[in-house]
Amino acid sequence: MATLNGWPEARESAVVRIVVGGDANGVTTLDGDVSTAFRWLLEQFHARVEPISEVNGWRSAAFNKQIGGAARSNHISGTAVDVNGARHPFERHHPGKRYSSGFTNAQGRAVRAILKEAGGLFGWGLDFPVGLRDAMHFELANGTTKADVAAFVATLRARKAAPIAATTDEDEDMPTADEIAQAVWSYRNAKLERKDTYALLRRTSANAEAAAHATIDAQGIADAIAAALPEGNLTRADVRRAARLAIQDVLRAQPEEPSTPAEPAPAEKPAPKAKAKAAPKP
Ligand SMILES: [Zn+2]
């Protein structure tokens, strides 16, 4: 039986224990690259969001049933973890109460930044539908493949060799059109697909990671670039033009977020440098 994200049920022999933070019991997830990816996620969480005091991962189908978990819970495939569950509740366990994730806005931003750096590999239970929000819960995103996980683990090894710029400085500028164009241009000889564009924005460019902190989201820009790029042999000018158009499109499409102070959208500027901050999602 596949769990919700498409990964098969895992037996105990297929999972491995890792210890991150202050939970001496550690956490079990699927062995191999999946374990490496979750170790990275948990280390980032522990260092940048809050100290980990309790973390749970894989559970057998029988145990999952016993505790009333969802029938196809991703925990059964060893591809989900619950972090500091006492502080970050599962909404369904508290019906009728106003839901709070238990994270501050700054912590929420740190989580979002980490998830962006993982290139969409992980989903967060806080994004589950209202009524089922589960802020403690992180999982391999729906449809994530073994190859996706392997590719991410490869980027971790590359980062170790050449660490990317720190991304915790919230005053970092957003990427300019030229910087984005540079990142896209570096892929000019590859067959550029939409997912490649996402990947390069999220993984290759520290500036794209800065964008993760800002109002303009890297995925929106990537989407627009992918749509704007012409077929065939690209020139550098093509790429720069596409990046500029993409930023303008994304700026125009920005939804007004209630907690963000109103700022005029610099729609005509080709390379906006506004230090807009992302309004954290509830
Ligand atoms: Zn969970």
Side-chain angles (χ1 to χ4, degrees):
M1 179 193 65
T3 60
L4 292 167
N5 61 3
W7 287 66
E9 176 180 345
R11 298 193 177 268
E12 188 160 12
S13 57
V15 298
V16 64
R17 184 172 304 276
I18 54 174
V19 177
V20 180
D23 186 340
N25 293 324
V27 55
T28 44
T29 60
L30 196 60
D31 200 359
D33 287 338
V34 171
S35 170
T36 305
F38 273 104
R39 176 190 290 279
W40 175 87
L41 176 71
L42 293 169
E43 285 173 350
Q44 298 300 312
F45 186 100
H46 184 69
R48 295 162 61 181
V49 181
E50 67 184 13
I52 292 176
S53 54
E54 185 193 2
V55 56
N56 294 291
W58 173 81
R59 43 190 191 237
S60 68
F63 181 61
N64 183 66
K65 193 171 182 180
Q66 189 187 325
I67 64 167
R72 292 172 61 216
S73 166
N74 294 328
H75 286 282
I76 298 171
S77 56
T79 61
V81 297
D82 294 330
V83 187
N84 294 345
R87 265 176 273 176
H88 309 297
F90 180 29
E91 190 171 21
R92 211 180 68 180
H93 289 165
H94 306 274
K97 279 184 70 179
R98 184 178 174 277
Y99 185 68
S100 167
S101 72
F103 290 105
T104 65
N105 289 345
Q107 287 176 321
R109 282 195 296 274
V111 171
R112 295 288 177 203
I114 292 166
L115 297 179
K116 286 270 184 180
E117 287 168 28
L121 197 75
F122 300 105
W124 187 10
L126 187 57
D127 295 327
F128 290 171
V130 171
L132 295 172
R133 287 172 289 188
D134 194 3
M136 74 178 83
H137 178 99
F138 296 89
E139 62 184 22
L140 287 187
N142 286 347
T144 299
T145 64
K146 277 186 181 177
D148 294 332
V149 182
F152 174 68
V153 168
T155 69
L156 292 183
R157 297 201 176 105
R159 282 183 211 183
K160 239 177 191 167
I164 55 170
T167 57
T168 48
D169 178 1
E170 293 181 5
D171 286 333
E172 277 187 86
D173 286 346
M174 287 188 290
T176 63
D178 273 353
E179 287 163 343
I180 293 174
Q182 181 67 46
V184 176
W185 179 250
S186 70
Y187 273 59
R188 68 195 184 282
N189 291 324
K191 193 162 185 232
L192 192 71
E193 292 182 15
R194 182 160 300 207
K195 66 178 167 55
D196 297 325
T197 321
Y198 293 159
L200 79 90
L201 276 169
R202 286 167 169 167
R203 295 182 189 150
T204 323
S205 161
N207 288 303
E209 295 187 13
H213 295 275
T215 306
I216 296 179
D217 69 306
Q219 180 158 327
I221 293 175
D223 205 320
I225 289 177
L229 282 171
E231 300 276 303
N233 290 331
L234 302 177
T235 67
R236 197 183 188 89
D238 289 331
V239 176
R240 184 177 287 117
R241 185 171 164 277
R244 284 190 177 135
L245 290 172
I247 288 176
Q248 289 175 13
D249 280 357
V250 170
L251 272 176
R252 280 196 206 98
Q254 274 306 301
E256 199 68 41
E257 303 228 45
S259 58
T260 306
E263 281 179 21
E268 296 312 309
K269 285 190 184 171
K273 300 279 283 184
K275 292 183 177 180
K277 302 268 174 61
K281 298 212 168 80

